[in-house]
Short mmCIF file of all heavy atoms in Angstrom, two decimals:
data_model
loop_
_atom_site.label_atom_id
_atom_site.label_comp_id
_atom_site.label_asym_id
_atom_site.label_seq_id
_atom_site.Cartn_x
_atom_site.Cartn_y
_atom_site.Cartn_z
N MET F 671 -8.80 -29.26 -12.67
CA MET F 671 -9.35 -28.27 -13.58
C MET F 671 -8.26 -27.83 -14.54
O MET F 671 -7.10 -27.68 -14.16
CB MET F 671 -9.85 -27.04 -12.79
CG MET F 671 -10.92 -27.37 -11.78
SD MET F 671 -12.46 -27.96 -12.53
CE MET F 671 -13.04 -26.42 -13.26
N PRO F 672 -8.61 -27.57 -15.85
CA PRO F 672 -7.60 -27.18 -16.81
C PRO F 672 -7.07 -25.79 -16.52
O PRO F 672 -7.80 -24.91 -16.08
CB PRO F 672 -8.36 -27.19 -18.14
CG PRO F 672 -9.80 -27.01 -17.76
CD PRO F 672 -9.95 -27.69 -16.44
N PRO F 673 -5.76 -25.56 -16.73
CA PRO F 673 -5.19 -24.25 -16.46
C PRO F 673 -5.56 -23.27 -17.55
O PRO F 673 -6.05 -23.62 -18.61
CB PRO F 673 -3.69 -24.54 -16.47
CG PRO F 673 -3.54 -25.70 -17.40
CD PRO F 673 -4.77 -26.54 -17.20
N VAL F 674 -5.28 -21.97 -17.28
CA VAL F 674 -5.46 -20.95 -18.29
C VAL F 674 -4.52 -21.27 -19.45
O VAL F 674 -3.40 -21.73 -19.27
CB VAL F 674 -5.12 -19.56 -17.71
CG1 VAL F 674 -5.22 -18.50 -18.79
CG2 VAL F 674 -6.06 -19.23 -16.56
N ALA F 675 -4.99 -21.04 -20.68
CA ALA F 675 -4.19 -21.35 -21.86
C ALA F 675 -2.83 -20.68 -21.77
O ALA F 675 -2.73 -19.48 -21.50
CB ALA F 675 -4.93 -20.89 -23.11
N LEU F 676 -1.77 -21.46 -21.99
CA LEU F 676 -0.43 -20.94 -21.86
C LEU F 676 -0.11 -19.91 -22.93
O LEU F 676 0.79 -19.09 -22.77
CB LEU F 676 0.59 -22.09 -21.92
CG LEU F 676 0.50 -23.10 -20.77
CD1 LEU F 676 1.54 -24.20 -20.97
CD2 LEU F 676 0.71 -22.41 -19.43
N ASP F 677 -0.82 -19.96 -24.07
CA ASP F 677 -0.54 -19.02 -25.14
C ASP F 677 -1.35 -17.73 -25.02
O ASP F 677 -1.32 -16.89 -25.93
CB ASP F 677 -0.80 -19.67 -26.50
CG ASP F 677 -2.24 -20.17 -26.64
OD1 ASP F 677 -2.96 -20.15 -25.63
OD2 ASP F 677 -2.62 -20.57 -27.76
N ALA F 678 -2.11 -17.57 -23.92
CA ALA F 678 -2.85 -16.32 -23.72
C ALA F 678 -1.87 -15.17 -23.55
O ALA F 678 -0.84 -15.31 -22.89
CB ALA F 678 -3.76 -16.43 -22.49
N SER F 679 -2.19 -14.03 -24.13
CA SER F 679 -1.30 -12.88 -24.05
C SER F 679 -1.28 -12.31 -22.63
O SER F 679 -2.25 -12.47 -21.88
CB SER F 679 -1.76 -11.80 -25.03
OG SER F 679 -3.00 -11.25 -24.60
N PRO F 680 -0.20 -11.64 -22.25
CA PRO F 680 -0.16 -11.00 -20.92
C PRO F 680 -1.33 -10.04 -20.72
O PRO F 680 -1.88 -9.96 -19.61
CB PRO F 680 1.18 -10.27 -20.93
CG PRO F 680 2.03 -11.05 -21.88
CD PRO F 680 1.09 -11.51 -22.95
N GLN F 681 -1.71 -9.32 -21.77
CA GLN F 681 -2.83 -8.40 -21.65
C GLN F 681 -4.13 -9.15 -21.35
O GLN F 681 -4.94 -8.73 -20.53
CB GLN F 681 -2.98 -7.58 -22.92
CG GLN F 681 -4.12 -6.56 -22.86
CD GLN F 681 -4.21 -5.73 -24.12
OE1 GLN F 681 -3.45 -5.92 -25.07
NE2 GLN F 681 -5.17 -4.81 -24.15
N ARG F 682 -4.33 -10.28 -22.03
CA ARG F 682 -5.51 -11.10 -21.80
C ARG F 682 -5.54 -11.65 -20.38
O ARG F 682 -6.57 -11.65 -19.71
CB ARG F 682 -5.54 -12.26 -22.81
CG ARG F 682 -6.64 -13.29 -22.60
CD ARG F 682 -8.02 -12.70 -22.67
NE ARG F 682 -9.04 -13.75 -22.60
CZ ARG F 682 -10.31 -13.51 -22.31
NH1 ARG F 682 -10.73 -12.28 -22.06
NH2 ARG F 682 -11.17 -14.50 -22.27
N LEU F 683 -4.40 -12.10 -19.88
CA LEU F 683 -4.33 -12.64 -18.53
C LEU F 683 -4.61 -11.55 -17.50
O LEU F 683 -5.29 -11.79 -16.50
CB LEU F 683 -2.95 -13.26 -18.29
CG LEU F 683 -2.64 -14.53 -19.08
CD1 LEU F 683 -1.21 -14.97 -18.85
CD2 LEU F 683 -3.61 -15.65 -18.71
N ARG F 684 -4.08 -10.34 -17.74
CA ARG F 684 -4.37 -9.24 -16.82
C ARG F 684 -5.85 -8.90 -16.81
O ARG F 684 -6.43 -8.60 -15.76
CB ARG F 684 -3.54 -8.00 -17.20
CG ARG F 684 -2.06 -8.11 -16.84
CD ARG F 684 -1.39 -6.75 -16.93
NE ARG F 684 -1.42 -6.22 -18.29
CZ ARG F 684 -0.49 -6.44 -19.21
NH1 ARG F 684 0.56 -7.20 -18.91
NH2 ARG F 684 -0.58 -5.91 -20.41
N SER F 685 -6.47 -8.96 -17.98
CA SER F 685 -7.90 -8.68 -18.07
C SER F 685 -8.72 -9.72 -17.31
O SER F 685 -9.66 -9.38 -16.58
CB SER F 685 -8.33 -8.64 -19.54
OG SER F 685 -9.72 -8.42 -19.67
N LEU F 686 -8.35 -10.98 -17.44
CA LEU F 686 -9.04 -12.04 -16.70
C LEU F 686 -8.85 -11.88 -15.20
O LEU F 686 -9.78 -12.08 -14.41
CB LEU F 686 -8.52 -13.41 -17.15
CG LEU F 686 -8.90 -13.87 -18.56
CD1 LEU F 686 -8.10 -15.11 -18.95
CD2 LEU F 686 -10.40 -14.15 -18.65
N ALA F 687 -7.63 -11.53 -14.79
CA ALA F 687 -7.34 -11.35 -13.36
C ALA F 687 -8.16 -10.20 -12.79
O ALA F 687 -8.70 -10.29 -11.68
CB ALA F 687 -5.85 -11.11 -13.15
N ARG F 688 -8.26 -9.10 -13.54
CA ARG F 688 -9.06 -7.96 -13.06
C ARG F 688 -10.53 -8.34 -12.94
O ARG F 688 -11.21 -7.94 -11.99
CB ARG F 688 -8.89 -6.77 -14.00
CG ARG F 688 -7.57 -6.03 -13.87
CD ARG F 688 -7.62 -4.69 -14.56
NE ARG F 688 -7.86 -4.81 -15.99
CZ ARG F 688 -6.90 -4.90 -16.90
NH1 ARG F 688 -5.63 -4.87 -16.51
NH2 ARG F 688 -7.19 -5.00 -18.19
N ALA F 689 -11.01 -9.11 -13.91
CA ALA F 689 -12.40 -9.55 -13.85
C ALA F 689 -12.66 -10.42 -12.62
O ALA F 689 -13.69 -10.29 -11.95
CB ALA F 689 -12.76 -10.32 -15.12
N ALA F 690 -11.71 -11.31 -12.30
CA ALA F 690 -11.86 -12.16 -11.12
C ALA F 690 -11.89 -11.33 -9.85
O ALA F 690 -12.74 -11.53 -8.97
CB ALA F 690 -10.71 -13.17 -11.06
N GLN F 691 -10.97 -10.38 -9.74
CA GLN F 691 -10.90 -9.56 -8.54
C GLN F 691 -12.18 -8.75 -8.37
O GLN F 691 -12.71 -8.63 -7.25
CB GLN F 691 -9.68 -8.63 -8.61
CG GLN F 691 -9.44 -7.85 -7.33
CD GLN F 691 -8.02 -7.34 -7.24
OE1 GLN F 691 -7.06 -8.07 -7.50
NE2 GLN F 691 -7.87 -6.08 -6.89
N HIS F 692 -12.69 -8.21 -9.47
CA HIS F 692 -13.94 -7.44 -9.40
C HIS F 692 -15.09 -8.33 -8.96
O HIS F 692 -15.93 -7.93 -8.12
CB HIS F 692 -14.23 -6.83 -10.77
CG HIS F 692 -15.50 -6.03 -10.81
ND1 HIS F 692 -16.73 -6.60 -11.09
CD2 HIS F 692 -15.74 -4.71 -10.59
CE1 HIS F 692 -17.67 -5.67 -11.03
NE2 HIS F 692 -17.10 -4.51 -10.75
N ASP F 693 -15.16 -9.54 -9.50
CA ASP F 693 -16.26 -10.44 -9.17
C ASP F 693 -16.19 -10.90 -7.71
O ASP F 693 -17.22 -11.00 -7.02
CB ASP F 693 -16.22 -11.65 -10.10
CG ASP F 693 -17.62 -12.17 -10.44
OD1 ASP F 693 -18.59 -11.43 -10.21
OD2 ASP F 693 -17.73 -13.29 -10.96
N ILE F 694 -14.98 -11.20 -7.25
CA ILE F 694 -14.82 -11.61 -5.85
C ILE F 694 -15.21 -10.47 -4.92
O ILE F 694 -15.91 -10.67 -3.92
CB ILE F 694 -13.36 -12.05 -5.58
CG1 ILE F 694 -13.02 -13.30 -6.40
CG2 ILE F 694 -13.13 -12.31 -4.10
CD1 ILE F 694 -11.54 -13.58 -6.51
N LEU F 695 -14.77 -9.27 -5.25
CA LEU F 695 -15.10 -8.11 -4.42
C LEU F 695 -16.60 -7.86 -4.39
O LEU F 695 -17.16 -7.51 -3.34
CB LEU F 695 -14.36 -6.87 -4.96
CG LEU F 695 -14.33 -5.63 -4.06
CD1 LEU F 695 -13.69 -5.96 -2.71
CD2 LEU F 695 -13.56 -4.51 -4.75
N ARG F 696 -17.26 -8.08 -5.51
CA ARG F 696 -18.71 -7.94 -5.55
C ARG F 696 -19.39 -8.94 -4.62
O ARG F 696 -20.32 -8.59 -3.89
CB ARG F 696 -19.21 -8.14 -6.99
CG ARG F 696 -20.72 -8.09 -7.14
CD ARG F 696 -21.14 -8.33 -8.57
NE ARG F 696 -20.61 -9.60 -9.08
CZ ARG F 696 -21.17 -10.79 -8.84
NH1 ARG F 696 -22.25 -10.88 -8.07
NH2 ARG F 696 -20.66 -11.89 -9.34
#
Side-chain angles (χ1 to χ4, degrees):
M671 301 295 289
V674 177
L676 296 179
D677 58 351
S679 69
Q681 181 178 1
R682 173 60 174 163
L683 292 175
R684 286 194 298 271
S685 178
L686 290 169
R688 284 195 298 269
Q691 187 160 314
H692 179 272
D693 214 16
I694 296 164
L695 193 58
R696 177 181 56 81

